[in-house]
Amino acid sequence: MEAVKFYNSLGRRLEKLEPLEPGHVRLYTCGPTVYDRVHIGNLRTFVFEDVLRRTLRFFGYRVTQAMNLTDVEDKIIAAALEAGVDIGAFTAPHVSSFFEDLAALRIERVEHYPRATCHIDEMIAMVEQLLEEGYAYRADDSVFFRIAADEDYGKLSGIDLDQVRRGERVQSDEYGKEDARDFVLWKGAKEGEPQWASPWGPGRPGWHIECSAMSQKYLGTTFDIHCGGVDNLFPHHENEIAQSESANGSPLARYWLHSEHLTVDGDKMSKSLGNCYTLADLETRGLAARSIRYLLISVHYRQQLDFTFAKVAEADRALKRVDDMRFRLAHETEQASDKAPLEEVVTGFEGAFAAALADDLNTSAALGAVFRFVHDVNGMIDRGLPSGARERVEGLLQRADQVLAVLDASAWNGDSGSAPDEELGGLSDAEIERLVQSRSAARAARDFAAADRIRDELVAAGVVVEDAPGGSRWKRS
Ligand code: AMP
Ligand code: ZN
């Protein structure tokens, strides 16, 4: 098994992955707060986590992953109250649209999607344990985590706690905390809000405790990898560590991976800034989900990605290079007998692709390897395709696409290409001409299967071919 290295935010260095159980990676990824449709910033993080999961499998690991759905939280409660419905009715459509967006971007379903509202008992049990061991205390109707009791609090983010104390003094009055740095584990019920019975009276859980309780239930007290966007690093992940490690006396996760933000004009894409696009917004503008996925993985996950429409158009063009090569490959006759060039191209690609992914999931380098491969295969086609090349190249592209999930156009059902303008969509006249000629050549060589395949491609691109005595004619339908 190839050595896979990741940049561990805990310790801030590259580390070789060594799962607790050989060959099996347990992975926890913080999921959405379902109070609205997720935006493509959120989706950048979810696509990164999907590529991570697929990469682990590419290298032969079994993966067990859990992603929580935060379905009770201040914003949800406020919005549900305003809409006059209970939180279950309010969140249901956002849960559905979340899964639709995942499917539209070909993000794989993971093993567990636990919902906060279905795990209140587990959260209460953990809060009780923290209270018993002196890591938590009650104030008014709520329960707080006592940061002073946790000696290594801050080890993930390296946060300066004195700064936090100064910054949060005002909020501390609101909750009657012992110390401004302490955070809430259980919130006493307020009139008209959803509530659950607990040993401390009716109330609801704080946000951080849900991930600690649910990751433990589905992945164990210590698991391998924990992910989220960088905004989760502090306080959310720091607080998860504080809760779980204080309760269990063992590390929560061994590797912490954080993806950088998607930005718009340099600002983080976020609902509060009002600069969000959802996937549906982009599809309404005629952009293809396939190109959006490509754009999201084209930049290394630890670098910010500034979203622009021009970049989606670039993604279209890049993918068209792959499609064109695969089309040529499918229709070219294999004639050369010397297989050495094929072996060289194949070995170069296999090595570069795997090395890029093993190097902290460097998807931009992995795509670079794909495009060198596309270039090399085109060169082979120009010089004469060795026998067996088609199957070999296709097999490799399919294997690479198990990770990338963008190379195979046919897997993107009904996704006809972004093409906000004519030039980017469909086939150009010259391409159609070339295909029609290839088809005529195939017919002349009595390779009717190949001729039919080309006609099907042309039909799919909206081109009608008519065979006349003087040769084939075509027109756009
Ligand atoms: P939320 O629903 O806000 O809890 O976010 C769900 C996931 O999306 C978390 O992992 C966040 O870190 C991540 N996220 C939020 N905004 C962005 C953004 N602009 N770019 C990338 N990831 C983000
Ligand atoms: Zn979380």
Side-chain angles (χ1 to χ4, degrees):
M1 211 176 266
E2 178 135 5
V4 185
K5 287 193 185 137
F6 294 123
Y7 180 84
N8 193 348
S9 306
L10 184 64
R12 291 177 211 103
R13 57 168 185 261
L14 267 185
E15 276 179 46
K16 189 170 159 226
L17 175 71
E18 279 167 354
L20 279 171
E21 181 190 328
H24 181 193
V25 175
R26 292 184 178 83
L27 169 63
Y28 188 84
T29 48
C30 289
T33 306
V34 282
Y35 80 102
D36 205 344
R37 190 155 197 154
V38 293
H39 56 69
I40 54 160
N42 303 127
L43 289 167
R44 179 189 188 191
T45 293
F46 302 142
V47 167
F48 145 67
E49 291 159 349
D50 182 56
V51 171
L52 169 63
R53 169 189 172 83
R54 288 165 173 271
T55 297
L56 292 167
R57 284 220 309 272
F58 178 86
F59 287 118
Y61 292 102
R62 175 159 87 86
V63 178
T64 304
Q65 183 179 353
M67 175 181 275
N68 66 299
L69 301 182
T70 300
D71 60 354
V72 53
E73 173 272 351
D74 293 347
K75 288 190 291 278
I76 292 176
I77 294 171
L81 270 177
E82 202 180 307
V85 292
D86 66 39
I87 55 169
F90 176 78
T91 55
H94 305 308
V95 173
S96 305
S97 70
F98 168 66
F99 285 113
E100 277 163 30
D101 286 349
L102 296 191
L105 284 174
R106 297 192 56 211
I107 295 173
E108 285 182 351
R109 286 269 183 157
V110 308
E111 288 67 27
H112 307 285
Y113 290 102
R115 295 179 186 216
T117 52
C118 301
H119 296 80
I120 304 289
D121 289 348
E122 288 84 347
M123 298 181 215
I124 290 177
M126 190 175 256
V127 175
E128 275 194 297
Q129 202 179 344
L130 290 169
L131 275 166
E132 270 164 32
E133 291 168 19
Y135 290 106
Y137 60 93
R138 294 172 65 169
D140 304 329
D141 299 327
S142 299
V143 182
F144 294 94
F145 186 88
R146 179 179 282 127
I147 283 189
D150 180 11
E151 275 172 8
D152 57 6
Y153 186 87
K155 69 178 173 188
L156 177 69
S157 59
I159 195 87
D160 175 353
L161 283 176
D162 289 337
Q163 292 238 332
V164 179
R165 191 197 300 258
R166 277 198 294 278
E168 289 194 2
R169 195 157 278 165
V170 181
Q171 276 186 18
S172 78
D173 301 339
E174 198 183 318
Y175 290 115
K177 299 188 230 180
E178 275 178 10
D179 183 328
R181 303 169 303 175
D182 295 344
F183 61 90
V184 72
L185 297 168
W186 183 264
K187 294 186 180 189
K190 287 198 196 126
E191 183 75 25
E193 287 187 353
Q195 48 191 268
W196 287 264
S198 83
W200 326 287
R204 61 190 165 91
W207 172 36
H208 314 298
I209 196 75
E210 78 176 68
C211 287
S212 282
M214 297 196 288
S215 63
Q216 179 172 338
K217 173 161 182 182
Y218 293 95
L219 305 174
T221 49
T222 302
F223 51 90
D224 299 295
I225 308 180
H226 195 312
C227 297
V230 278
D231 57 310
N232 281 165
L233 203 144
F234 183 84
H236 183 50
H237 290 165
E238 197 74 76
N239 291 351
E240 277 187 45
I241 291 177
Q243 296 163 152
S244 298
E245 300 194 357
S246 302
N248 298 323
S250 52
L252 172 58
R254 290 148 43 93
Y255 308 89
W256 290 80
L257 273 56
H258 291 98
S259 58
E260 256 301 343
H261 283 145
L262 186 82
T263 58
V264 182
D265 298 328
D267 287 325
K268 177 191 170 201
M269 182 175 283
S270 75
K271 281 163 198 155
S272 50
L273 288 177
N275 60 359
C276 294
Y277 292 112
T278 65
L279 186 61
D281 293 336
L282 297 183
E283 287 183 321
T284 309
R285 289 171 179 240
L287 307 189
R290 181 186 179 208
S291 305
I292 294 162
R293 179 174 172 110
Y294 176 93
L295 172 60
L296 296 179
I297 64 175
S298 64
V299 172
H300 186 256
Y301 75 93
R302 286 196 292 116
Q303 279 176 13
Q304 282 194 355
L305 164 58
D306 201 47
F307 178 84
T308 63
F309 288 93
K311 284 182 188 159
V312 185
E314 258 172 53
D316 277 343
R317 285 190 284 270
L319 287 170
K320 191 163 179 312
R321 291 219 297 280
V322 179
D323 295 348
D324 286 350
M325 182 277 270
R326 293 186 73 193
F327 186 83
R328 285 188 76 194
L329 186 72
H331 299 106
E332 210 64 34
T333 329
E334 294 174 345
Q335 40 192 256
S337 53
D338 180 11
K339 287 198 177 181
L342 174 65
E343 286 315 313
E344 199 184 312
V345 165
V346 159
T347 319
F349 172 59
E350 276 179 323
F353 186 77
L357 291 175
D359 178 19
D360 193 26
L361 214 70
N362 193 339
T363 46
S364 60
L367 285 169
V370 168
F371 285 102
R372 260 192 313 282
F373 186 53
V374 167
H375 174 267
D376 291 347
V377 173
N378 273 323
M380 253 186 337
I381 296 174
D382 292 341
R383 289 188 296 275
L385 210 52
S387 62
R390 182 177 299 136
E391 211 179 292
R392 205 63 200 287
V393 169
E394 271 302 320
L396 278 178
L397 286 174
Q398 272 167 29
R399 182 158 154 70
D401 213 31
Q402 282 165 13
V403 175
L404 305 173
V406 290
L407 302 179
D408 183 2
S410 66
W412 293 81
N413 285 338
D415 197 359
S416 56
S418 288
D421 58 50
E422 196 51 39
E423 180 213 300
L424 296 173
L427 298 172
S428 67
D429 287 5
E431 284 164 330
I432 296 173
E433 200 58 59
R434 189 169 55 74
L435 288 173
V436 171
Q437 279 170 19
S438 305
R439 179 172 169 271
S440 301
R443 278 162 58 91
R446 307 191 67 76
D447 184 352
F448 296 112
D452 286 350
R453 267 203 311 271
I454 300 177
R455 199 198 41 226
D456 291 348
E457 301 256 2
L458 286 163
V459 169
V463 177
V464 182
V465 189
E466 285 164 10
D467 296 316
S472 299
R473 289 197 300 257
W474 62 268
K475 61 177 190 234
R476 292 181 191 270
S477 61

